């Protein structure tokens, strides 16, 4: 229980969620067979094997929502990852930043589904492989380009892919700090090529961002080379915090939400864009 609690504390999970998860885990610990299944599931995760069936079996036996059980399993996986970080010589600070993704995804799950859990279990292999890291505001991992980019990059070239967790304001200062940290962490020499695919980079959304806003400034960092519509605006939950699709039922409590709600009400569909950012540290330019 102590290690389980430590990971929740490092991830800074909300008190209500932490208490609930701790109570569920304490109940599971009293069932030896259930604990055996849980640790079996963790081994499957580490061996990169399919875990869906055993995760559902554990959730049914423990009588909790599958999203809750997924989060409990992820906490146990991060406890093991903490030891891996130590063996590789990574700092405790780096681990603390990276494990914070559990909080981001928990808060999304609470907002969208009303459940203390995690609904994107598929997202985590990159962390457990030690290829994806949280470096300040953004997350980075090596990535093979799928297509050519102008005459600069070819399909198969390895660059850095960045991800944007829902972790507060996306200020230019925070983005610059993350880029500088990624440059140093991955030992880049010369230009650093950063790839991002996100709803934030869809050209059709640009005018919905307030002029001078952090979102426009982030978009402007990238050269958008491709974009596409998202069927049924499937990424709208990232803006509205709900799976509701009917514009008239979407919240309008912020200017951004009101702009997107009007955009959807006019029959438009949300999309995503892919872009490349070329970064080089000031002292090496």
């Amino acid at each position: 229980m102590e290690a389980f609690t430590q990971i929740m504390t490092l991830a800074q999970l909300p008190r209500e969620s932490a208490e609930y998860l701790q109570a569920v885990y304490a109940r599971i610990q009293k069932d030896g067979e259930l604990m055996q299944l849980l640790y079996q599931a963790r081994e499957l995760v580490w061996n990169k094997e399919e875990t869906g069936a055993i995760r559902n079996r554990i959730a049914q036996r423990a009588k909790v929502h599958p999203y809750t059980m997924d989060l409990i399993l992820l906490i146990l996986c991060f406890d093991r990852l903490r030891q891996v970080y130590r063996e590789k010589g990574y700092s405790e600070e780096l681990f603390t930043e990276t494990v914070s993704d559990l909080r981001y995804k928990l808060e999304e799950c609470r907002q969208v589904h009303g459940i203390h859990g995690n609904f994107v279990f598929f997202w985590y292999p990159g962390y457990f492989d030690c290829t994806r890291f949280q470096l300040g505001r953004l997350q980075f991992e090596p990535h093979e380009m799928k297509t050519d980019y102008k005459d600069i990059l070819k399909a198969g070239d390895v660059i850095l892919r960045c991800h944007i967790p829902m972790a507060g304001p996306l200020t230019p200062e925070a983005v610059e700090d993350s880029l500088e940290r990624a440059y140093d962490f991955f030992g880049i020499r010369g230009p650093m090529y950063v790839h991002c695919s996100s709803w934030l980079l869809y050209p059709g959304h640009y005018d919905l961002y307030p002029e001078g806003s952090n979102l426009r400034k982030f978009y402007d960092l990238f050269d958008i080379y491709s974009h596409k519509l998202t069927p049924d605006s499937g990424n709208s939950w990232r803006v509205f915090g709900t799976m509701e699709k009917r514009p008239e039922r979407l919240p309008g409590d912020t200017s951004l939400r009101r702009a997107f709600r009007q955009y959807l009400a006019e029959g438009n569909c949300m999309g995503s864009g892919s872009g490349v950012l070329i970064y080089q540290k000031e002292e090496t330019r």
Side-chain angles (χ1 to χ4, degrees), residues 29-40:
Q29 284 186 306
K30 295 177 181 178
D31 186 328
E33 185 177 347
L34 194 50
M35 280 298 294
Q36 186 176 3
L37 287 173
L38 192 56
Y39 280 105
Q40 180 183 342

Side-chain angles (χ1 to χ4, degrees), residues 158-260:
V158 178
I159 63 173
L160 288 183
R161 178 163 56 184
C162 84
H163 305 285
I164 315 155
M166 291 186 181
L170 194 63
T171 65
E173 295 78 13
V175 172
E176 174 73 20
D177 173 70
S178 282
L179 291 171
E180 182 173 344
R181 290 182 60 183
Y183 193 95
D184 291 337
F185 181 80
F186 289 99
I188 306 297
R189 297 292 180 268
M192 178 174 74
Y193 299 97
V194 179
H195 177 269
C196 184
S197 292
S198 171
W199 66 273
L200 293 173
L201 300 184
Y202 182 62
H205 298 164
Y206 187 79
D207 289 337
L208 304 178
Y209 307 146
E211 188 172 350
S213 66
N214 292 334
L215 296 184
R216 279 200 178 189
K217 291 175 182 177
F218 184 80
Y219 182 105
D220 289 339
L221 291 174
F222 291 85
D223 176 26
I224 311 302
Y225 67 87
S226 71
H227 57 85
K228 61 183 179 181
L229 292 174
T230 304
D232 298 324
S233 295
N235 47 15
S236 64
W237 67 268
R238 298 183 183 277
V239 177
F240 297 103
T242 175
M243 291 299 183
E244 175 63 61
K245 295 293 191 299
R246 291 165 289 186
E248 67 275 11
R249 296 196 176 187
L250 293 172
D253 53 321
T254 68
S255 59
L256 185 68
R257 285 179 169 180
R258 287 191 293 273
F260 269 92

Side-chain angles (χ1 to χ4, degrees), residues 47 53 57 65 71 76 89 106 146-147 167 260:
N47 292 327
R57 181 181 171 191
H65 196 282
L71 179 52
L76 294 177
L106 164 63
K146 303 302 181 186
T147 61
F260 269 92

Side-chain angles (χ1 to χ4, degrees), residues 6-281:
Q6 285 180 357
I7 296 300
M8 291 196 296
T9 300
L10 286 174
Q12 297 182 31
L13 300 191
R15 180 176 177 179
E16 179 187 359
S17 296
E19 290 177 349
Y20 174 76
L21 293 167
Q22 199 162 22
V24 172
Y25 186 59
R27 191 171 75 243
I28 291 173
Q29 284 186 306
K30 295 177 181 178
D31 186 328
E33 185 177 347
L34 194 50
M35 280 298 294
Q36 186 176 3
L37 287 173
L38 192 56
Y39 280 105
Q40 180 183 342
R42 188 172 73 169
E43 288 304 308
L44 291 174
V45 170
W46 233 252
N47 292 327
K48 303 178 184 179
E49 297 181 33
E50 174 56 43
T51 61
I54 191 170
R55 282 160 39 216
N56 286 333
R57 181 181 171 191
I58 296 170
Q60 290 173 1
R61 177 161 178 155
K63 296 181 173 59
V64 296
H65 196 282
Y67 294 160
T68 298
M69 186 52 60
D70 281 355
L71 179 52
I72 288 173
L73 176 56
L74 286 169
I75 291 171
L76 294 177
C77 288
F78 268 92
D79 177 49
R80 180 163 176 172
L81 182 64
R82 190 182 191 186
Q83 182 59 40
V84 172
Y85 267 44
R86 288 170 175 167
E87 293 168 357
K88 290 180 175 292
Y90 295 142
S91 69
E92 187 73 5
E93 177 188 7
L94 178 62
F95 178 78
T96 299
E97 284 192 312
T98 299
V99 77
S100 65
D101 192 75
L102 291 179
R103 181 175 77 256
Y104 307 146
K105 301 301 189 291
L106 164 63
E107 291 172 347
E108 291 174 5
C109 194
R110 291 178 68 187
Q111 184 178 35
V112 176
H113 297 289
I115 295 167
H116 302 288
N118 185 301
F119 66 102
V120 287
F121 191 90
F122 63 86
W123 171 245
Y124 286 89
Y127 296 111
F128 304 144
D129 288 344
C130 290
T131 55
R132 183 186 304 136
F133 302 91
Q134 178 100 18
L135 299 169
R137 179 64 180 81
L138 303 174
Q139 299 164 346
F140 297 90
E141 64 183 332
H143 167 71
E144 283 191 6
M145 286 291 291
K146 303 302 181 186
T147 61
D148 294 349
Y149 170 69
K150 297 183 175 180
D151 59 349
I152 302 174
L153 297 168
K154 300 296 183 183
D157 285 350
V158 178
I159 63 173
L160 288 183
R161 178 163 56 184
C162 84
H163 305 285
I164 315 155
M166 291 186 181
L170 194 63
T171 65
E173 295 78 13
V175 172
E176 174 73 20
D177 173 70
S178 282
L179 291 171
E180 182 173 344
R181 290 182 60 183
Y183 193 95
D184 291 337
F185 181 80
F186 289 99
I188 306 297
R189 297 292 180 268
M192 178 174 74
Y193 299 97
V194 179
H195 177 269
C196 184
S197 292
S198 171
W199 66 273
L200 293 173
L201 300 184
Y202 182 62
H205 298 164
Y206 187 79
D207 289 337
L208 304 178
Y209 307 146
E211 188 172 350
S213 66
N214 292 334
L215 296 184
R216 279 200 178 189
K217 291 175 182 177
F218 184 80
Y219 182 105
D220 289 339
L221 291 174
F222 291 85
D223 176 26
I224 311 302
Y225 67 87
S226 71
H227 57 85
K228 61 183 179 181
L229 292 174
T230 304
D232 298 324
S233 295
N235 47 15
S236 64
W237 67 268
R238 298 183 183 277
V239 177
F240 297 103
T242 175
M243 291 299 183
E244 175 63 61
K245 295 293 191 299
R246 291 165 289 186
E248 67 275 11
R249 296 196 176 187
L250 293 172
D253 53 321
T254 68
S255 59
L256 185 68
R257 285 179 169 180
R258 287 191 293 273
F260 269 92
R261 186 174 63 182
Q262 181 63 31
Y263 175 82
L264 295 172
E266 292 171 354
N268 297 300
C269 183
M270 290 181 63
S272 65
S274 295
V276 171
L277 175 161
I278 303 175
Y279 175 85
Q280 194 160 345
K281 283 186 69 172

